[in-house]
Amino acid sequence: MRISARLLATPTAAGSTSGLKPAPLALLPPIPLYRRLLRTHRKFLPQEMRLLGDEYVKSEFRAHKEVENPVHIIGFLTEWQMYAQKIEGDSWLGERLDSGKVDKMSDQQLGQLYELMQAIQKKERDSEDDDS
């Protein structure tokens, strides 16, 4: 397939509700986004958080490998791309989850979130025990 200007993705301001928000970036395809996430973890996260984050990213991308619903695919890629941007910009430190997003989560997603919280708390307890 020949690359033409018509086929290249470009950022657009469509859907931007505020002049304060930057224009959304074009969505990355799944494999480049996956690689970007792992690179971002390697560059910006401490070792313990990186290991946990890498495992989570890998399991989520594997779980969504066979999804065919375009709405789910776009939502999945959008959320992971926003996550990568937050990690790269250090704006995630101390940030709380948006209650609107939590309300929209399925029972399975809430269960995964709870398991993630437990894993993080366990890591913190283990590191505190090692320091003592």
Side-chain angles (χ1 to χ4, degrees):
M1 173 187 274
R2 266 183 54 211
I3 297 177
S4 68
R6 184 178 61 85
L7 296 176
L8 297 176
T10 56
T12 166
S16 181
T17 58
S18 165
L20 301 175
K21 290 184 180 177
L25 296 175
L27 279 179
L28 288 173
I31 293 175
L33 178 58
Y34 178 79
R35 290 179 182 148
R36 177 184 176 187
L37 289 164
L38 296 178
R39 257 192 315 270
T40 300
H41 284 176
R42 187 170 51 242
K43 189 173 180 182
F44 293 100
L45 295 180
Q47 181 67 22
E48 304 84 31
M49 293 177 90
R50 176 185 166 204
L51 293 173
L52 185 63
D54 286 354
E55 281 301 313
Y56 191 73
V57 167
K58 289 174 185 178
S59 69
E60 283 298 300
F61 271 77
R62 273 189 220 112
H64 288 81
K65 191 175 186 176
E66 303 299 323
V67 172
E68 294 182 11
N69 184 337
V71 174
H72 288 160
I73 293 170
I74 290 172
F76 179 81
L77 296 175
T78 301
E79 289 299 321
W80 278 110
Q81 190 160 326
M82 288 180 0
Y83 165 80
Q85 290 169 350
K86 283 187 178 193
I87 296 292
E88 291 166 347
D90 280 341
S91 66
W92 60 278
L93 296 171
E95 185 176 319
R96 294 192 171 274
L97 284 175
D98 180 25
S99 62
K101 286 185 181 180
V102 174
D103 292 340
K104 292 179 183 178
M105 288 183 180
S106 69
D107 291 339
Q108 181 184 6
Q109 289 170 323
L110 290 172
Q112 286 178 325
L113 187 61
Y114 182 72
E115 289 173 7
L116 180 62
M117 181 190 73
Q118 286 181 323
I120 291 169
Q121 289 174 343
K122 183 176 185 281
K123 288 272 187 192
E124 288 175 353
R125 283 193 300 269
D126 291 347
S127 67
E128 288 174 1
D129 291 343
D130 291 342
D131 292 342
S132 302

